[in-house]
Amino acid sequence: MSFLDKAINKTKLVAKNVDSKLGEGVDVSKTKSKINDEKSKIEKNLKLIGELYYAFVKGTDPDAQTKIDEAIAKIDQSKVDIEEYERLIDDIKVKGKEERENFKIESENEE
């Protein structure tokens, strides 16, 4: 293989790696944004629980306990969603690394 062919193949490998890393970064960023959305939901529901508890103690909202239970269920679901998103981030990173490893192997096989 000539020097020029090797240089072209190396350039292709670099381009594939950059594209892979950029795609991985975008996917991770989107997923982290979803995690932040879930954390915001948790904060909102925690605040709501505090307000509902106050209403429950004062006796101003007869449905306060039911609403508290609903808010707790939403918090629990958000925590499950966050765990799933964190696993997804790990999977994205592993897949990206494997993809780049395959690019490297393909490049070495072409030489």
Side-chain angles (χ1 to χ4, degrees):
M1 186 178 278
S2 73
F3 173 76
L4 185 57
D5 289 336
K6 287 182 181 179
I8 290 171
N9 285 338
K10 187 68 172 179
T11 303
K12 287 180 183 178
L13 175 62
V14 169
K16 285 181 180 180
N17 280 330
V18 168
D19 184 54
S20 174
K21 284 186 178 191
L22 286 174
E24 178 184 321
V26 168
D27 291 343
V28 168
S29 291
K30 287 179 181 178
T31 306
K32 283 183 177 181
S33 176
K34 291 178 182 180
I35 289 172
N36 289 333
D37 290 345
E38 291 301 324
K39 287 180 178 180
S40 292
K41 289 178 187 177
I42 289 172
E43 290 300 317
K44 183 181 103 182
N45 281 302
L46 286 171
K47 181 180 180 216
L48 178 62
I49 288 170
E51 293 169 357
L52 289 168
Y53 181 74
Y54 181 82
F56 174 76
V57 170
K58 290 293 188 177
T60 58
D61 186 348
D63 297 328
Q65 184 61 52
T66 302
K67 293 175 184 176
I68 289 171
D69 293 341
E70 290 170 358
I72 290 171
K74 289 177 183 178
I75 289 171
D76 291 343
Q77 182 59 51
S78 288
K79 288 183 176 189
V80 168
D81 292 346
I82 288 170
E83 288 176 6
E84 182 62 30
Y85 291 140
E86 288 171 344
R87 280 192 293 276
L88 181 59
I89 287 173
D90 291 340
D91 291 346
I92 291 167
K93 289 180 178 181
V94 167
K95 182 181 173 189
K97 184 175 181 181
E98 289 173 353
E99 185 178 54
R100 289 186 294 280
E101 292 284 331
N102 289 335
F103 293 153
K104 184 177 179 182
I105 292 169
E106 288 175 15
S107 174
E108 290 170 354
N109 289 339
E110 291 178 2
E111 291 178 2

